[in-house]
Amino acid sequence: MHAFPGGAPALDFAGTLRFRYRSDPREDMSSPQSLSAWFRESGITEREVPCEVTDLREALELREAVYQLILARVSGRSYDQHALALVNDYARRPTPVPQLTSEGRHVEASIEQAFAAVAQNAVSVLGGSDVSLLKECGNPECSQLYIDRSRGARREWCAMDPCGNRIKAAAYRARKRMGG
């Protein structure tokens, strides 16, 4: 089961390498099956997308390019030109097409269409009105990027569980030590 705290598929895709700043980051896309599950769980498609090991390598390259672009925007740096070209190349490709069936809406996608959906979402986020709301989690070990739509844009963590809870618990323990 994957986490989706970012507020946009591209942010959550970039966040599949969790805790990048630790010496032992956690890889959430460690197999073609986990990549396929991510596309289904994210809502890009409703069924598993057939994936091979080569697709996983391609996904990790796209993920890192998306992450670099978003982090550059958050930190006020220029875009890496290779990452920019890669994301734009995927964004030009066809995306999944929803179909209407007697049971309702249905979406299937090839791996190429799923990659295109992530890239187009990255373009929308980085070129859209929410770009000023992009933040990186305040947990020093976490690297999750998210859109802060909270009142007053004062959200500090990607999610309360686990990041907010850890920071708050550590602050509480520190206050107790100082007071006792």
Side-chain angles (χ1 to χ4, degrees), residues 21-161:
Y21 303 129
R22 287 184 183 173
S23 59
D24 61 335
R26 187 181 83 209
E27 178 61 73
D28 287 348
M29 285 198 302
S30 57
S31 69
Q33 295 77 21
S34 61
L35 173 62
S36 179
W38 188 90
F39 286 124
R40 182 184 43 75
E41 292 170 20
S42 70
I44 289 175
T45 185
E46 293 170 357
R47 294 206 177 122
E48 300 292 323
V49 177
C51 297
E52 303 294 328
V53 173
T54 55
D55 299 324
L56 179 60
R57 282 195 293 270
E58 197 173 339
L60 298 181
E61 184 181 17
L62 176 59
R63 175 188 69 194
E64 293 310 304
V66 169
Y67 181 78
Q68 287 177 25
L69 295 178
I70 296 168
L71 190 60
R73 178 59 69 160
V74 167
S75 59
R77 291 182 284 127
S78 298
Y79 289 141
D80 175 87
Q81 292 304 302
H82 174 71
L84 187 62
L86 185 72
V87 169
N88 281 333
D89 179 50
Y90 280 104
R92 286 183 195 95
R93 300 177 187 181
T95 57
V97 178
Q99 300 289 302
L100 186 60
T101 68
S102 57
E103 289 81 38
R105 183 178 182 265
H106 177 71
V107 181
E108 285 187 30
S110 67
I111 190 69
E112 293 83 13
Q113 290 172 314
F115 288 155
V118 169
Q120 285 185 13
N121 184 251
V123 169
S124 294
V125 168
L126 291 168
S129 60
D130 286 339
V131 73
S132 64
L133 303 176
L134 289 173
K135 289 186 178 178
E136 186 175 25
C137 183
N139 178 346
E141 293 183 339
C142 186
S143 55
Q144 179 67 47
L145 300 158
Y146 64 94
I147 298 172
D148 182 1
R149 292 188 180 108
S150 67
R151 182 179 224 168
R154 296 186 350 211
R155 186 170 147 196
E156 298 178 46
W157 308 289
C158 60
M160 279 304 291
D161 183 23

